[in-house]
Amino acid sequence: ITWNKVEEEYRSVDPSTTMTLSRTNANNVRLCIFLTRKGIPAYINTSSSSPVVPSLMGLAKFVCRKPRDFAVSIATHLERLGRDKPPHQIQFIQDQADCINEVISDSSPSTWVALEAALKALFKKPRGPAHMLSTIHRAKGLEAPNIYVLFPPIPHPLGLKDPIQAEQEKNLEYVARTRTSDTYTEIYP
């Protein structure tokens, strides 16, 4: 399906039967904000062993003094890191930055406390049935009747340059495709 059909699709299925998978948390943040703004319950799956919000807040506070300065500061920071770090590390930091930028652009928090509260709201499971959004990595071992994959392609074209990375990309695609017991749907921009 295409992005303009997402609201209709998510309203038509029982949230307790769905799991949406994405390569990155940033795509999940984008979708979670969109769904909750439309009154559709959704949350981003996280694990207690790998807390996402403290990691995001650590990055945000490291690169700037106020949330409103984040976009400019992170661009400069990534440019500097790009000279010294391998691409997969830059990609990870870029995903974190994109998560923060999505929340800042949606809610315009003026303080770190407000930014942290907005991030926590996305990763907190609401009471009652809700659509679970997850990175493919976090979905290992999970299953749902209806699986949506947000913004493929899997494998990612950048991952095909390195043979080891190419194998990991194939594994990601396998994980995404084997999480369903019923339907598999791809969501395109």
Side-chain angles (χ1 to χ4, degrees):
I1 64 173
T2 56
W3 183 258
N4 62 343
K5 300 283 186 187
V6 165
E7 180 182 359
E8 177 185 336
E9 178 72 20
Y10 278 72
R11 287 192 189 284
S12 73
V13 295
D14 176 1
S16 64
T17 68
T18 68
M19 183 173 16
T20 302
L21 306 177
S22 174
R23 296 182 52 75
T24 65
N25 269 319
N27 287 334
N28 288 329
V29 166
R30 203 169 292 126
L31 179 60
C32 195
I33 289 170
F34 174 80
L35 292 174
T36 55
R37 290 277 180 240
K38 299 289 184 177
I40 301 169
Y43 70 101
I44 302 169
N45 181 40
T46 187
S47 69
S48 57
S49 64
S50 178
V52 176
V53 174
S55 176
L56 293 172
M57 289 303 299
L59 174 65
K61 289 178 178 179
F62 177 75
V63 299
C64 63
R65 298 180 129 208
K66 296 178 184 165
R68 70 170 182 244
D69 301 331
F70 182 77
V72 171
S73 298
I74 193 63
T76 304
H77 183 67
L78 284 168
E79 186 180 312
R80 269 184 282 139
L81 285 177
R83 296 181 217 131
D84 304 325
K85 300 281 184 197
H88 70 278
Q89 286 181 351
I90 299 300
Q91 202 171 25
F92 175 75
I93 296 168
Q94 182 67 60
D95 178 45
Q96 289 186 315
D98 291 346
C99 290
I100 296 165
N101 279 326
E102 285 293 329
V103 172
I104 289 172
S105 109
D106 177 65
S107 61
S108 303
S110 59
T111 66
W112 293 122
V113 172
L115 175 60
E116 186 171 16
L119 285 165
K120 283 181 177 178
L122 296 173
F123 288 89
K124 182 179 181 194
K125 184 176 181 179
R127 294 179 195 256
H131 294 280
M132 179 175 53
L133 288 59
S134 177
T135 61
I136 298 167
H137 285 80
R138 283 210 169 88
K140 292 176 185 173
L142 301 176
E143 190 176 279
N146 303 300
I147 294 294
Y148 296 90
V149 176
L150 188 57
F151 307 140
I154 305 166
H156 190 281
L158 295 176
L160 299 177
K161 294 178 182 177
D162 172 29
I164 294 170
Q165 186 69 26
E167 188 62 31
Q168 289 175 344
E169 293 296 323
K170 287 180 193 173
N171 291 341
L172 270 183
E173 181 175 23
Y174 175 81
V175 168
R177 290 188 179 275
T178 59
R179 298 305 93 201
T180 184
S181 58
D182 193 7
T183 63
Y184 175 90
T185 307
E186 293 181 345
I187 300 172
Y188 292 92

